[in-house]
Amino acid sequence: MKRAKKTTVKVERKILDRDEAFAARNRKFLAEAGVFCLNMISSPGSGKTTILTMTIGELKGRIRVAVIEGDIQTDLDARKIRQAGVKAVQINTRGGCHLSAEQVDRALKKMSLERLDLLFIENVGNLVCPAVFELGEGGKVAVLSVAEGDDKPAKYPEIFATSAVLLINKIDMIGTGAVDFDIEKVKREVRRLNKKISIFEVSAKTGEGFDGWCEWLAGQVKKIR
Amino acid sequence: MKRAKKTTVKVERKILDRDEAFAARNRKFLAEAGVFCLNMISSPGSGKTTILTMTIGELKGRIRVAVIEGDIQTDLDARKIRQAGVKAVQINTRGGCHLSAEQVDRALKKMSLERLDLLFIENVGNLVCPAVFELGEGGKVAVLSVAEGDDKPAKYPEIFATSAVLLINKIDMIGTGAVDFDIEKVKREVRRLNKKISIFEVSAKTGEGFDGWCEWLAGQVKKIR
């Protein structure tokens, strides 16, 4: 979202201040209800929604989950989440390239937080803009599919530098020979940007790697309650 | 880039006006030099750079090509273009989620347009923001990789509605069984958004489909000269 002009920076500062006030309010609201909240960020098509439906299935009966779905338009993803058996509140940004804390504030009011342990916010598919807008989440989750190439941490460092978790998705593709992706290089570069990040290699198609990711989620939920 | 607040819209209107003035200037400059210019837009990792290096190879000796490379940071892509044997001018947006016409204006001044037929501008990897900022190009090229999923035209319609060309890339992956992508559905939905769009199915890995795309390019260059 950053631009070079000074006047623009000033205006964006104002928008960010307003956003940060809503983010702080959301954070307080979620903490009081004892809900752990994650903001899922990736390029379009990295597999955020499929990761969520698989995760919901894995956590069923153990952890109470809901999802806020951010999309420019359509409710395709919210419908998939509902089919997986949990509540989804759709936000349509109508052209907006990221969710705002104010939009999340309105969505939270439509939910019964006292009946939840874990709330996922699926942001608009965009590796750039959502990285700089706090929504009040407990942490960000970056998703990178192996089909996108292993140069992405170098080219789009912000999201990798600020996330609590990196999910490297579609690892089932590596075996097919369809992609050329150096996982060790990606992990090395991401850890150089962010020493504290937890990295899980997963396939939302086959379920591979979901045990580690779901254990991490269960641990975070336990900590907050 | 669109946000709901009225004050924000006003400010963005101003930025857009300034941008449009630069875009008009770039357009005039390119027309006078007889250069056909395309603005390449896609998600991160759809294969824009690999498509360009393959295209440069196919057009060698027939059409004189150069590239303006837009990236948040790094010159990884510009180096790949130079290795393919043509001039590349790098623009680093330093956080910016799209190229601006002003940045392109500065890059054009570093090029000898009279020695060119075809100029590609590779925008920042982002399916949302670059779609609404004109750079002075003769047309937009949207790139969608089959690994991203066939729901993208419905979810991100703006770029598909406004592009002259859609390149459906990585079609070699379909045969491997690694992806589940309905090409006919995508073509149908994109044509519903945009009756005039030219669609090519390509693989920048194998070169499949590049004959049609390169014939289209040669035809456009011929028209403008």
Side-chain angles (χ1 to χ4, degrees):
Chain A
M1 291 296 302
K2 217 176 67 188
R3 289 200 200 88
K5 305 287 151 299
K6 268 188 191 162
T7 49
T8 316
V9 170
K10 231 188 250 171
V11 174
E12 296 212 330
R13 190 65 249 158
K14 253 193 197 170
I15 295 166
L16 281 172
D17 285 348
R18 187 185 153 85
D19 250 42
E20 276 163 21
F22 272 107
R25 188 165 128 168
N26 293 345
R27 192 167 282 118
K28 189 165 169 272
F29 203 41
L30 289 160
E32 283 170 1
V35 175
F36 183 59
C37 174
L38 288 167
N39 180 3
M40 310 273 294
I41 298 174
S42 80
S43 301
S46 300
K48 292 185 295 304
T49 313
T50 316
I51 286 172
L52 286 179
T53 55
M54 178 67 84
T55 303
I56 290 162
E58 292 286 320
L59 298 178
K60 195 168 274 180
R62 292 165 63 196
I63 291 173
R64 298 166 300 173
V65 180
V67 178
I68 295 176
E69 270 299 332
D71 284 292
I72 290 179
Q73 54 187 66
T74 79
D75 66 344
L76 292 170
D77 290 351
R79 280 195 251 166
K80 287 181 195 163
I81 297 296
R82 286 174 200 136
Q83 273 167 13
V86 306
K87 184 171 175 80
V89 176
Q90 179 75 53
I91 302 174
N92 280 139
T93 64
R94 301 183 189 288
C97 54
H98 63 90
L99 286 175
S100 73
E102 187 174 0
Q103 288 167 331
V104 170
D105 172 74
R106 283 200 296 271
L108 288 176
K109 286 173 184 152
K110 295 180 188 162
M111 312 188 99
S112 308
L113 293 184
E114 69 284 359
R115 282 186 231 154
L116 277 189
D117 302 308
L118 178 58
L119 174 65
F120 289 105
I121 303 174
E122 184 178 340
N123 221 310
V124 176
N126 182 336
L127 206 52
V128 187
C129 314
V132 294
F133 288 84
E134 292 284 320
L135 304 178
E137 69 270 16
K140 289 186 181 67
V141 177
V143 181
L144 177 67
S145 124
V146 299
E148 290 169 66
D150 53 22
D151 57 349
K152 295 305 165 286
K155 292 181 65 186
Y156 304 87
E158 177 78 14
I159 181 61
F160 299 97
T162 57
S163 288
V165 175
L166 167 63
L167 297 178
I168 303 177
N169 191 27
K170 307 194 188 180
I171 55 166
D172 58 285
M173 274 190 185
I174 292 178
T176 66
V179 295
D180 185 23
F181 186 94
D182 184 341
I183 286 198
E184 294 311 316
K185 176 182 145 191
V186 165
K187 283 158 69 173
R188 204 164 51 237
E189 288 189 4
V190 169
R191 289 216 168 92
R192 197 170 44 76
L193 293 165
N194 183 340
K195 283 194 179 65
K196 290 193 284 185
I197 198 164
S198 300
I199 303 180
F200 301 100
E201 301 166 29
V202 301
S203 163
K205 196 174 177 180
T206 67
E208 197 181 338
F210 269 69
D211 43 354
W213 157 240
C214 289
E215 273 324 300
W216 183 89
L217 289 170
Q220 298 300 314
V221 166
K222 210 172 167 187
K223 250 192 234 173
I224 208 172
R225 294 208 74 91
Chain B
M1 294 294 305
K2 216 178 66 188
R3 290 199 200 85
K5 306 288 150 296
K6 267 188 192 164
T7 50
T8 316
V9 170
K10 232 186 248 171
V11 174
E12 297 212 330
R13 190 65 247 158
K14 254 193 198 170
I15 294 165
L16 280 172
D17 285 347
R18 188 185 153 85
D19 249 42
E20 277 163 21
F22 271 107
R25 190 165 127 167
N26 294 345
R27 191 167 284 120
K28 190 167 166 271
F29 203 40
L30 289 160
E32 283 170 1
V35 176
F36 183 59
C37 173
L38 288 168
N39 181 2
M40 310 273 293
I41 299 174
S42 80
S43 301
S46 300
K48 291 187 294 304
T49 314
T50 316
I51 286 172
L52 286 180
T53 55
M54 178 66 86
T55 303
I56 289 162
E58 292 285 319
L59 298 179
K60 196 169 274 180
R62 292 166 62 195
I63 291 172
R64 298 167 300 173
V65 180
V67 178
I68 295 176
E69 269 298 332
D71 284 293
I72 290 178
Q73 56 187 64
T74 81
D75 65 345
L76 292 171
D77 290 351
R79 281 196 251 166
K80 287 180 195 163
I81 298 296
R82 286 176 200 136
Q83 275 167 13
V86 305
K87 185 172 174 82
V89 176
Q90 178 75 55
I91 301 174
N92 280 140
T93 64
R94 301 185 188 287
C97 55
H98 63 90
L99 286 176
S100 74
E102 188 175 0
Q103 289 167 330
V104 170
D105 172 74
R106 282 200 296 272
L108 288 177
K109 287 174 184 152
K110 295 181 190 161
M111 313 189 98
S112 309
L113 293 184
E114 69 285 358
R115 283 187 231 152
L116 276 189
D117 303 308
L118 178 58
L119 174 66
F120 289 105
I121 304 173
E122 184 179 340
N123 222 309
V124 176
N126 182 335
L127 206 52
V128 187
C129 313
V132 294
F133 287 85
E134 292 284 319
L135 304 178
E137 69 271 13
K140 290 186 180 68
V141 177
V143 181
L144 177 68
S145 125
V146 300
E148 291 169 65
D150 53 21
D151 57 348
K152 295 306 165 285
K155 292 181 65 187
Y156 304 88
E158 177 78 15
I159 181 59
F160 299 96
T162 59
S163 288
V165 175
L166 166 62
L167 297 179
I168 302 178
N169 192 26
K170 306 194 189 178
I171 56 166
D172 56 288
M173 274 189 185
I174 292 178
T176 67
V179 294
D180 186 23
F181 186 95
D182 184 342
I183 286 199
E184 294 310 316
K185 176 183 146 191
V186 165
K187 284 159 66 173
R188 206 164 48 238
E189 288 189 5
V190 169
R191 290 218 168 93
R192 199 170 41 78
L193 293 165
N194 183 342
K195 281 193 180 66
K196 290 192 285 185
I197 197 163
S198 300
I199 304 179
F200 301 99
E201 301 167 29
V202 301
S203 163
K205 197 173 176 181
T206 66
E208 197 181 338
F210 270 68
D211 44 353
W213 157 239
C214 289
E215 274 322 300
W216 184 89
L217 289 170
Q220 299 299 314
V221 166
K222 210 172 168 186
K223 249 191 233 173
I224 208 173
R225 292 209 75 92

